[in-house]
Amino acid sequence: MADAASDIGRCAKYARHHVWVTRHADYEFWAGGEFTNMSREEEGGCYDAAARNDDVENTDVVVWAVFGFTHSPRVEDWPVMPVERHELHLRPIDFFDANPALDVASDRDTASVIVDGECCANGD
């Protein structure tokens, strides 16, 4: 919600979108860069990683889920703040052309055979 030219808009470029997809890099850990609270402009965050326009097809990617939550303080919150849990579930849809479990080896015992019933007909 911050203007891109504002101080907060320059420092929190990662907040411009809720989801970012970038190519994996071992040195990228923080959506807002390593020193977000001590910088005047975001450096090394997911905004910069997305600006590289790396090809993400058939490679390891990072999905950055960036959601801003606000806390409305209440009198009863002082001095112990409550915890609010937020969860994100990623469920692939149409990821495969078919069910990959269909070609799993059968657990059927191939050594077993059907008995015709003659040996057990008289109760032996």
Side-chain angles (χ1 to χ4, degrees), residues 1-4 6-20 30-33 36 42-43 45-48 50 64-69:
M1 292 176 52
D3 185 80
S6 69
D7 288 340
I8 205 76
R10 288 192 330 267
C11 189
K13 293 179 183 177
Y14 64 90
R16 294 183 185 176
H17 301 287
H18 291 297
V19 178
W20 300 80
W30 302 278
T36 305
E42 177 187 319
E43 294 179 15
C46 60
Y47 179 86
D48 293 335
W64 304 85
V66 182
F67 296 96
F69 300 107

Side-chain angles (χ1 to χ4, degrees), residues 8 56 74:
I8 205 76
V56 295
R74 302 172 298 188

